[in-house]
Amino acid sequence: MITLTEPAAGQLRRLLQEKESSEQGLRIFVHAGGCAGLQYGMAFEAQGRESDMILERQGVRLYVDPFSATHLEGACIEYEDGPSGVGFRVENPNAAATCACGLSFRLEPGGEAVT
């Protein structure tokens, strides 16, 4: 299960209101790339795909594909606005290591292969 902190949910609701699209949701995904091997991505989408897991969290619709769902189980999406920067950050208990920017991660050795 993926969770959102209240600051992250609030920021996402504000962004969706600015886009004047209450029907859209946020796609959260994992793909190969980044300096640690796997990389997070987020994008607004009008609707989910047939195979997506669709979650409602604090008034925000989340779309997660099956591959990403396995790597994001237990993850928490946070939003920070402080001296070190502004933006969304993923706290992922499945990550064995993350890069300094926090946008990419790697699994434990022997974990699921990246395809």
Side-chain angles (χ1 to χ4, degrees):
M1 174 182 297
I2 299 169
T3 59
L4 294 175
T5 63
E6 181 50 44
Q11 182 65 17
L12 287 167
R13 287 189 303 266
R14 279 189 289 283
L15 290 169
L16 286 167
Q17 285 174 350
E18 288 173 10
K19 293 174 75 63
E20 297 180 2
S21 182
S22 60
E23 296 301 312
Q24 282 197 338
L26 180 71
R27 174 164 300 282
I28 303 171
F29 57 95
V30 171
H31 60 95
C35 53
L38 292 170
Q39 190 167 359
Y40 302 111
M42 297 180 195
F44 290 114
E45 289 190 4
Q47 63 185 27
R49 299 175 191 143
E50 189 174 315
S51 62
D52 283 344
M53 176 172 42
I54 301 173
L55 309 169
E56 293 283 337
R57 299 287 184 262
Q58 301 179 53
V60 178
R61 185 175 299 128
L62 304 176
Y63 304 123
V64 186
D65 65 86
F67 174 81
S68 299
T70 62
H71 298 305
L72 293 170
E73 180 65 33
C76 181
I77 311 298
E78 299 183 3
Y79 181 77
E80 297 180 342
D81 184 355
S84 61
V86 175
F88 292 96
R89 185 169 57 90
V90 179
E91 284 291 324
N92 188 346
N94 303 303
T98 61
C99 68
C101 70
L103 295 177
S104 71
F105 67 101
R106 118 178 115 69
L107 300 171
E108 287 286 344
E112 185 176 323
V114 177
T115 57

